[in-house]
Structure formats: C-alpha cells, structure tokens
Amino acid sequence: MNISTYTVKPKLPNSLKPLEEIARNLWLSWNFDAVELFIRLDYEVWLQSQQSPVRTLGMVSQERLAEVAKDDSYLAALKAIYSHFLKYKSGQTWYRGSRKDVVAYFSMEYGMDVSLPIYSGGLGILSGDHMKTSSDMGLPLVGIGLLYRQGYFKQLLNADGFQQESYPENDWYNMPVELKLGKNNEAIKITVDLAERQAVAQIWEVKVGRSSLYLLDTNIPENAPDIRNITSALYGGDKETRIQQEILLGIGGIRALRALGINPAACHMNEGHSAFLGLERIRELMSERNFNFDEAREAVWPTNIFTTHTPVPAGNERFDIGLMDKYFRNWPQILGISWKDFLSLGRERPYDDSETYCMTVLALKLAAYANGVAKLHGAVSRKMWRSLWPGLSLNEIPIDHVTNGVHPRTWVSSNMGELLDRYFGPHFDDEPTDLAVWSRMDRISDEELWRTHERRRERLVAFARERIRQNLKRNGAVERRLAQAEDALSPYTLTIAFARRFATYKRGNLLLRDPDRLLRLLKDTERPIQLIFAGKAHPMDMPGKELIRSIVHFAEQHDVQSRIVFLENYDMSMAHYLTSGADLWLNTPRRPMEASGTSGMKAAMNGVLNCSILDGWWDEAYNPELGWAIGRGEEYEDTNLQDEIESKALYDLLEREIIPLFYQRGRDGLPREWIRRMKICMKEIGRSMSSHRMLMDYSNKFYFPALKNYRRIVKDDYAESKALAAYLSKLRQAWDNIKIHAIESNAKPVMQRGDSLTVTARIELGPLTPDEVLVELYYGSVSNQSSEIKNARRAEMRSAGQEEGVSIYQVRIECADTGIQGHTVRILPKHEALVHPYRTGFIKWA
C-alpha cells in the first residue's frame, strides 16, 4: 500500500499562539499554573489526552479555541504565564561562565513528565530532575538518550492480581519532541555499525526550560525491521537488543552531538549503559589527530564522569564475549590494540578469558571521576570494585559519592507550592540554589500546613478510588463490587504508602509477615491505618509479580480491601498524588541494596514523614525528628531472620510511636507534634536533598574540573596528554624494577605525643628520576586483630639525594595519636596531568 504522509498541526488563533511554545517546553512540567492553561481549555479533553499539553491543543475543537481566544481572564492568565516563561529563559542563573564547551549527560531513560513516557522508574526520574535542575542553574549541559516508540510498559492487574503488560505506541508528533532538521529541511541523521550492518538514527529534541535533551530514533524507513526495533522499548528484548541500544546510546550519542555542531568537552555517563562513548571519543582523536591509543585515552580520561547506581554485582550490565566479538571484532584494529587488550577494558581480571565484558568496569577505567549516589552507596561501591585498584586501601578507591536529590518545583504539590510561595517569597522561585530559604518553614502556621496536607490526602483518596473503579470495571466486576470502590480508603485515616519498583529485595510484603498483628492495626476503630501500594515488576521478574499478587490476595482473603489497596500502573502522575497525600512513606529494602532511592525525598518535601530501613539516602539523612528508622543499620546473612526481626521492629514502631503520635490531637483537632516534625522534615530535606544541591555538588566536584581539564588539554594541542601517555608507558616498563630497599626511622620503643619522627626510605628507581614518582609515608594506628593500619594518614616524602644509585626520601611527622602506631612506605605515579595518582596496577608497597 502506497501511503502519502503529511503533518497536521493545530490552528491556533493569534492570541493563543504562545500556548504551542509553552506546550513544547517541559518547563511547564514544574510550573502548574502553566499546566492549568491546558486544563482550562477543556478538562475532558485534557483527561483523554493523558495529560499531554501538545495533544490537548490538537484535540480541542476550533470552536472552543475561538471562544477562549476572546476570554479576557484566560488571555490575562496566558500573558502572565508566558511572561514568566520568557523571564525564566532569559534570566540570570547560578552558572555564568562560558557555554562554548558543554557537558554531555548520557542516560538510558528520562522521566520528566507523564506526557513523555520514556522512563521506567528511579533512574529515569533522577535523569529528568537532573535536566530540569541544569536548566534552573543555567549549566552548559545537554542530555542524550533514546526515543522509545513504546516506552516502558503499561501495567494492568487482572482479577487475580497478576501483573500483565501492554505496550501502547507513542505518537511523537503529538508529544513535546521536535525532529532536528538540517539542510533542505531534511532530518539530521547519524549512523553506527552493528555487526557488519549500519543503523541509521534521526535526532529529536526535547526542550527542558533553557536546556535541551536529544533523543536518537532508529524507527525510520532506511533501517531493516530489526534495526528499527532497537528503539522500540525501554529495557525490552534480549541481550542482543541491549548491546545494540547501548552502542546507539554511547557511540551514536557522540556522533549525534557532532552532527548538531555541539562539542561534548566532558561526558557524564549516568550508569554504565553509555560507556561505549569512551571508546568512540578515543576513536575520534585517533582518527582526527593521528594519536595512538594511549595518547587518545589520556586525553579522554580526565574529561569523563561516571555515576554508578547499582549496589549489587549482578545488577551491572555484562555481555558475553561472543556478543562482543560479533559487534566489536573490528574495534581492536581501529584502536591499534590487541583483542585481549580490548576485552581487558571491560574486565575486572584483565586477561581472564572466562570473564564477561562489564559496562561498569569499562566506565570506571575510562573515567577519571566516578561516584555512587549516596554516602553509603559510595562506600559499598568502593568495596565492590576494589579489585580494579589492587593494593589500594578501601577508603582511597577513587569512587566518590554525590547523594541524589529531587527537583522541588516538580515534586512539591501545587497546593503545598502555593503555601511555600506565600511564605518563602519570590526568592524560592528566582534563586533555587539558595537552599537556606527552606528555613522559612517556621513562618507557616500549624493550621495552614495541616489543612493543606489534609487537602492532599483527600485528593489522593479520590484519585485512588477512581483508579480502583477503573481496574474493577475493566476486569468485569459487578455493580455491587464497583460501588464498594467508592468506600475504599478514608480521607481521615493515617495513610501509609509503599510505592516503588517491585523487586524482591525491596520487600513490598514485609508488613504482611504477621497477618494478625497487621489486621489489628487495620481494623482498629479508634486509631486505624490504611495502606496504599503501587509499583511495577519487570516483565520477566516472576517473583516480583508474585509479590504484587500476594498483596492483592491478602486484602481479599481478610476482607480489608477498603484498607489495603494496590494501585496499578505507577507513573509520575500517580507519584505526585502519593508523595503529597500520604502521611507516612514506607521503605523496606535489604540494606545495603538500595543505592539511594528518591521517592522518600519527594514525600519529605511535602511534609510526609519517612519510616525506612537505614539504607540509601535515609542512612545519612535520618534523625529522630524527621521520621523513623527500622533497625540500626544491621546487615544479615540469614534473610529469613532479617525479615522476622525487621518486620517486628516495624510493627513496634507503628504501635508504640507512629500511630499514637498521629492520633494525638489537641482541642483544635491538630496533631501538633506530628506537624512539628513535618516542618522540621521539610526544612531539613528541602535543604539537603534538593537536586540543586546535587547539581552544585556535581558541578564543583566533577563538571567544572572536567571542563577545566579539557580546556587545558586542547590549549597546547594535546601536548599534555601525549606527555602523560609517554610517562605512563615509561612507568609501565620500569615499574617491576622499582625496589624499596630499606625504611629507617628514629622511632624509640616508646614515644611521647608531640615527638617528631623522621623516616627515611632508600629506593631503587631504575630509569626513573625522583620527581617521576610519588613516595608516601603511610602511617597510623595498628589494628590489634591484624597488621593493617587503621584510619591511615599520608605524608609525601621528599627526595634527599642519592647514595650509590639509590634514591633517598625523607619526611618528618609528629606523633599525634596514642597507642600502637605504625608506618610503611608506598610508591605511586606522579605527573601534573594526573587527576589522581590511583591508576590500576601502579602502587608498590614496602
């Protein structure tokens, strides 16, 4: 069938023209007054459009548009909001430096608005908040991702409570994306090689306030059907689809930026999916400047940033060597290295032929900067990947942490936002990086805060009842059962929410472990509780699906469907209702398997108190004024014992502390102590877990240093990188011949605190000069259980001449601590171009 296609756009009256610009910029996703413009056009159409402003404009009748175009109140609102939008785009920002070179932020998914469903969960929501915050701060940052034709799946629960999936097609021409066009108004396209075939991808742009997100799409006629399906679904298909997607994201992403005329001076890999970009950046330099592999690698390494999100080894992406051979067999020749050396880039044990290829390892080896997403997760990651830096003490493993944050304007409810604006003032909107504004929570009266929260709980209950009714109706429930949905939940009852991905380690059924104890709490006529569950299990995760079904069955078997509900198809829209309308946010992962988690932060900024295992972000944020901790951070080998202990601890908290506190009311009916904690929670979490704090951390720790590295490297035509590559080559050849012959000191059997200690080391350097190595004294308290030095300190030893070809190094330290002390000497690389001296294979101990 020969079909001619063309695009039809809405025909807007001139006075409504700004609506199209606003609809196509996701700035509106964190400005509810802008969203209200589209709701006011036609509420029924807004619901039918699935809350899509672009689609709404195309569905509203021309008669209605003509009517609104003459409505002076609507036009006044449009004028005010459009002026606010233009002021935002042109206003002064936190970052005021050069925009010539950018940080390219790569992520597999982005969750920015329900109208753009290309996300699955936490990683995507974080990426979306990252982009929004970058816009607020005016950072020179662009996003790169994939445009999924079906996005992630839509969750449907059948009458038995079993999860089923549907994959609705996305209509890009009615969504906030725009095809990037080049000469002759033709789509800008790039190609990547896929196992002796080429995949062609076009590029779409999503405007995010001041920033841009570029998404690659292979669903075009030039490609064969299987190639077109590469961007069909997020986390869909098999391992072969995944490697194709990750080649497109990493390698294709760099090429897309080049095609758009954007220079990715620094690259941020948000999880390991995009790690192939490191190889492409190396290839570019080798091709364009005739560098060898080592020279190109040292030019790229100081400008790459990698964030790991996975606290368990099994969660890191790995590919079989057969698959790597199929898609990368020609890359060693391109890079001028052997096949084994190429594979070693993705292996913990470089030349172990039985090991698979790990994207996290590749990213860690090609990035000078690496971080976990919470303080605890940083420590877990250093322990997990310490084998990449053999001989290095655990606390020195070069994996830092930047704790995740959430975008306040996106996640604070519209009602709460109005209240905060009233008391925080315009500063809250104009200066989002001034986190001290949250201290103004004390200005808000208890009555206003509580009434605002109660309105949100009422809206949550109404939303939940409608979702339940839709689910029952779809599954063929009788009218009597449909009527019961109207009585589900109460707008006056302590509401506990558990909403997150349904993976088994998150233990969504922990609260169901003692049915009798839970039922007493649910059926208490004076101080009842109600539970709302939501979340998707991965389509292939049968244990996760069984968890969901067990919750549905529990409610039915014990006739508590009005007190326990599971809301299907958890998405950003539902998350807004839950994180603002619940009273208590529950989180029960197995420590330390939660990298960070951010849903509890969103809840906290709305005054919802947290009750959680001390894992992820809560491990560092918790104090008794903010919420409750389940346990004290213990870790268990026996998971059954863990579940037993921690479920009892949770019941105890509910019975003895949480429920009594919530229902402790004064004569005015207000839970004053609960409200006091709400205020403290909002104040502290607003300051510490804002995504603006997160982006300031990323900027100061990684982005600005990486951009500075890039400018320094290119300034002298990459001479620094060439010199560093030559130095490391020399070091590699000489390293095995370096010998620490002797360590001498003036230490006595017993020293006094404050005494000086002089340590001398005699070292044979071979062809190296004394200024080409870093010699350190490593000293501190010696453990009683082992010969290890605890809480070690380091002091650089200075060259003090030579004797018979042996270099002498000395340092003087002060005896500062009491008890058994010890010291040793170690040698590390030393070069001005090194971001840090911890390079794999280069550490030598006495």
Side-chain angles (χ1 to χ4, degrees):
M1 184 181 296
N2 186 11
I3 300 176
S4 299
T5 63
Y6 45 90
T7 303
V8 178
K9 292 187 175 182
K11 185 179 180 181
L12 296 177
N14 287 335
S15 60
L16 300 182
K17 289 288 186 184
L19 282 174
E20 186 158 15
E21 185 179 352
I22 294 171
R24 292 189 172 276
N25 192 310
L26 288 180
W27 171 84
L28 64 73
S29 69
W30 68 93
N31 287 273
F32 187 71
D33 54 354
V35 174
E36 285 184 311
L37 290 174
F38 298 90
I39 297 174
R40 286 178 64 181
L41 287 176
D42 189 319
Y43 182 64
E44 291 301 320
V45 166
W46 171 255
L47 294 179
Q48 292 170 23
S49 76
Q50 298 179 324
Q51 302 177 43
S52 169
V54 176
R55 187 178 286 117
T56 295
L57 290 181
M59 292 173 65
V60 173
S61 69
Q62 290 299 136
E63 291 78 12
R64 175 58 181 160
L65 290 174
E67 181 184 340
V68 171
K70 298 174 183 177
D71 183 336
D72 57 349
S73 71
Y74 187 92
L75 294 177
L78 174 57
K79 181 180 179 180
I81 291 163
Y82 188 55
S83 296
H84 183 203
F85 173 57
L86 296 178
K87 179 184 175 185
Y88 173 87
K89 290 207 299 180
S90 61
Q92 198 170 65
T93 60
W94 178 78
Y95 176 78
R96 299 170 190 175
S98 169
R99 300 183 178 282
K100 179 184 176 184
D101 305 310
V102 305
V103 176
Y105 179 80
F106 288 71
S107 185
M108 199 75 162
E109 52 175 300
Y110 290 87
M112 288 179 290
D113 189 63
V114 69
S115 66
L116 189 63
I118 56 170
Y119 63 94
S120 69
L123 181 70
I125 301 298
L126 175 74
S127 301
D129 281 4
H130 202 105
M131 292 299 303
K132 295 173 185 180
T133 310
S134 172
S135 168
D136 288 345
M137 295 169 61
L139 292 175
L141 182 145
V142 299
I144 297 290
L146 303 182
L147 191 66
Y148 302 101
R149 190 171 77 247
Q150 297 173 335
Y152 203 47
F153 68 89
K154 181 179 180 181
Q155 180 192 50
L156 304 169
L157 298 187
N158 66 17
D160 189 42
F162 188 76
Q163 174 183 296
Q164 297 173 315
E165 299 87 27
S166 70
Y167 294 86
E169 297 273 332
N170 288 320
D171 176 9
W172 302 130
Y173 294 93
N174 279 306
M175 289 185 173
V177 296
E178 183 178 344
L179 189 63
K180 294 301 292 179
L181 305 176
K183 295 178 180 178
N184 302 321
N185 257 6
E186 293 181 354
I188 298 173
K189 296 174 182 176
I190 58 97
T191 62
V192 293
D193 293 330
L194 295 175
E196 300 182 354
R197 295 196 297 168
Q198 273 198 339
V200 183
Q202 59 188 7
I203 307 163
W204 298 77
E205 181 181 14
V206 180
K207 295 185 185 299
V208 189
R210 302 178 178 95
S211 301
S212 290
L213 166 64
Y214 298 103
L215 303 171
L216 277 65
D217 170 25
T218 60
N219 184 30
I220 53 179
E222 292 96 314
N223 291 321
D226 61 323
I227 300 293
R228 295 182 70 160
N229 282 335
I230 292 174
T231 54
S232 65
L234 171 62
Y235 305 137
D238 55 14
K239 276 289 187 181
E240 185 143 16
T241 301
R242 288 294 287 272
I243 198 171
Q244 291 173 343
Q245 288 182 334
E246 295 182 16
I247 289 170
L248 181 63
L249 176 63
I251 296 174
I254 292 292
R255 294 178 184 179
L257 291 172
R258 299 295 185 200
L260 293 168
I262 297 170
N263 178 34
C267 291
H268 183 178
M269 297 169 274
N270 189 42
E271 204 34 295
H273 307 122
S274 60
F276 290 137
L277 72 82
L279 301 177
E280 173 63 9
R281 296 186 77 198
I282 290 170
R283 184 203 65 78
E284 280 187 334
L285 283 173
M286 293 180 67
S287 173
E288 294 168 5
R289 295 185 170 271
N290 202 29
F291 285 0
N292 62 37
F293 175 79
D294 291 335
E295 291 169 341
R297 178 178 178 173
E298 298 311 325
V300 166
W301 180 75
T303 63
N304 278 342
I305 303 118
F306 169 59
T307 298
T308 176
H309 291 262
T310 312
V312 289
N316 292 274
E317 188 82 85
R318 291 180 178 272
F319 294 117
D320 290 338
I321 300 306
L323 211 51
M324 289 299 298
D325 182 77
K326 179 177 180 179
Y327 286 93
F328 284 92
R329 175 47 84 170
N330 65 327
W331 271 78
Q333 182 179 355
I334 293 170
L335 300 178
I337 58 177
S338 70
W339 177 242
K340 282 203 167 188
D341 285 343
F342 178 80
L343 293 180
S344 74
L345 295 171
R347 284 173 164 169
E348 294 178 70
R349 302 175 301 279
Y351 300 105
D352 180 353
D353 290 340
S354 66
E355 187 181 349
T356 53
Y357 196 91
C358 179
M359 297 297 282
T360 303
V361 173
L362 177 64
L364 286 168
K365 288 185 177 182
L366 295 184
Y369 305 97
N371 70 284
V373 290
K375 184 177 180 180
L376 176 62
H377 181 235
V380 169
S381 298
R382 286 189 288 275
K383 186 175 181 181
M384 187 187 307
W385 301 109
R386 68 182 307 176
S387 65
L388 295 179
W389 293 272
L392 201 59
S393 62
L394 188 60
N395 66 337
E396 293 179 308
I397 300 297
I399 301 177
D400 202 339
H401 82 275
V402 172
T403 302
N404 284 344
V406 299
H407 189 250
R409 280 289 176 186
T410 295
W411 294 107
V412 171
S413 73
S414 57
N415 301 99
M416 190 65 74
E418 290 172 3
L419 182 64
L420 298 186
D421 282 336
R422 194 153 63 243
Y423 285 94
F424 287 10
H427 198 64
F428 185 43
D429 195 45
D430 297 340
E431 298 285 344
T433 54
D434 184 2
L435 305 177
V437 73
W438 286 92
S439 63
R440 297 180 183 180
M441 278 302 306
D442 295 330
R443 299 179 179 182
I444 302 175
S445 70
D446 289 359
E447 290 82 1
E448 284 185 284
L449 182 60
W450 188 246
R451 299 307 174 213
T452 300
H453 179 64
E454 286 193 313
R455 283 198 297 275
R456 293 310 305 180
R457 193 191 310 116
E458 290 166 3
R459 291 191 175 191
L460 169 59
V461 169
F463 171 84
R465 288 172 175 173
E466 177 60 22
R467 277 294 176 96
I468 295 167
R469 192 189 67 80
Q470 290 174 3
N471 173 259
L472 290 171
K473 189 173 182 180
R474 192 190 65 247
N475 287 325
V478 297
E479 284 299 322
R480 180 180 59 82
R481 184 72 183 89
L482 289 174
Q484 289 177 350
E486 299 304 319
D487 294 326
L489 306 175
S490 164
Y492 311 108
T493 296
L494 171 59
T495 303
I496 302 172
F498 181 98
R500 51 196 20 90
R501 182 165 56 90
F502 261 73
T504 52
Y505 80 85
K506 293 180 182 283
R507 296 188 294 177
N509 61 348
L510 188 66
L511 198 51
L512 278 58
R513 190 172 177 87
D514 188 335
D516 292 338
R517 204 167 173 183
L518 176 58
L519 289 170
R520 283 198 298 272
L521 298 177
L522 293 167
K523 296 181 178 181
D524 188 316
T525 56
E526 294 184 0
R527 301 188 307 183
I529 67 170
Q530 57 193 13
L531 305 174
I532 302 178
F533 291 90
K536 297 177 179 179
H538 187 277
M540 304 301 290
D541 183 6
M542 293 305 295
K545 291 184 177 184
E546 286 300 325
L547 271 182
I548 295 172
R549 183 156 62 175
S550 72
I551 293 169
V552 175
H553 281 198
F554 182 95
E556 292 175 350
Q557 290 166 2
H558 298 282
D559 195 26
V560 286
Q561 295 103 315
S562 65
R563 289 279 185 248
I564 297 182
V565 301
F566 193 103
L567 303 182
E568 68 179 8
N569 201 38
Y570 183 42
D571 61 6
M572 289 185 73
S573 177
M574 185 187 294
H576 280 102
Y577 283 98
L578 288 168
T579 56
S580 63
D583 298 297
L584 188 74
W585 199 258
L586 183 62
N587 189 26
T588 54
R590 294 193 193 282
R591 175 185 166 112
M593 297 177 73
E594 182 95 301
S596 172
T598 56
S599 61
M601 301 176 191
K602 302 175 183 101
M605 287 188 190
N606 282 286
V608 178
L609 303 184
N610 275 262
C611 179
S612 174
I613 298 292
L614 289 172
D615 198 8
W617 76 280
W618 191 237
D619 179 69
E620 65 193 84
Y622 166 74
N623 79 55
E625 298 286 275
L626 304 180
W628 291 270
I630 304 168
R632 296 186 177 88
E634 302 90 348
E635 296 177 21
Y636 299 80
E637 291 186 9
D638 185 334
T639 57
N640 190 56
L641 176 64
Q642 179 181 17
D643 292 349
E644 184 69 19
I645 292 172
E646 292 180 343
S647 64
K648 287 182 177 178
L650 176 54
Y651 290 126
D652 288 345
L653 284 173
L654 288 168
E655 293 168 347
R656 300 173 187 175
E657 298 185 36
I658 297 170
I659 296 173
L661 187 68
F662 181 82
Y663 286 106
Q664 180 184 315
R665 308 294 171 102
R667 290 182 180 179
D668 55 8
L670 297 178
R672 296 280 182 178
E673 179 58 23
W674 188 279
I675 296 169
R676 187 184 72 83
R677 291 193 183 202
M678 287 174 66
K679 288 184 178 180
I680 295 172
C681 179
M682 294 174 74
K683 183 194 305 182
E684 296 302 320
I685 301 306
R687 284 195 296 229
S688 63
M689 297 299 160
S690 162
S691 56
H692 298 90
R693 185 275 309 153
M694 176 182 77
L695 261 291
M696 286 190 283
D697 284 351
Y698 271 113
S699 297
N700 292 321
K701 283 186 173 184
F702 307 137
Y703 291 169
F704 296 163
L707 289 172
K708 184 179 179 181
N709 292 341
Y710 172 80
R711 291 167 187 144
R712 191 185 65 247
I713 288 168
V714 300
K715 185 178 180 180
D716 60 0
D717 199 28
Y718 294 91
E720 183 182 278
S721 303
K722 292 180 180 179
L724 178 58
Y727 163 75
L728 291 174
S729 177
K730 179 181 179 182
L731 197 66
R732 199 171 291 111
Q733 294 174 17
W735 195 252
D736 290 341
N737 297 319
I738 296 176
K739 294 181 176 61
I740 302 174
H741 286 299
I743 303 174
E744 303 160 356
S745 75
N746 63 341
K748 304 170 188 175
V750 177
M751 305 282 286
Q752 301 292 317
R753 177 184 279 170
D755 286 352
S756 291
L757 180 69
T758 300
V759 181
T760 302
R762 300 177 181 275
I763 300 174
E764 182 179 339
L765 295 175
L768 301 176
T769 60
D771 61 348
E772 289 182 313
V773 292
L774 173 63
V775 180
E776 288 184 334
L777 183 71
Y778 191 84
Y779 65 102
S781 301
V782 177
S783 170
N784 292 326
Q785 297 179 340
S786 66
S787 59
E788 293 183 1
I789 296 176
K790 301 182 299 180
N791 301 318
R793 301 175 184 175
R794 308 188 306 274
E796 183 174 354
M797 303 183 75
R798 302 294 181 182
S799 175
Q802 288 190 328
E803 291 181 4
E804 299 178 356
V806 174
S807 296
I808 310 299
Y809 287 83
Q810 280 188 339
V811 70
R812 178 181 292 178
I813 61 170
E814 183 180 289
C815 296
D817 299 322
T818 59
I820 302 298
Q821 303 294 304
H823 61 256
T824 188
V825 171
R826 68 180 186 181
I827 302 173
L828 296 161
K830 185 178 182 180
H831 192 280
E832 61 182 1
L834 283 171
V835 173
H836 59 72
Y838 308 127
R839 298 297 291 259
T840 299
F842 290 125
I843 182 168
K844 189 176 289 286
W845 292 90

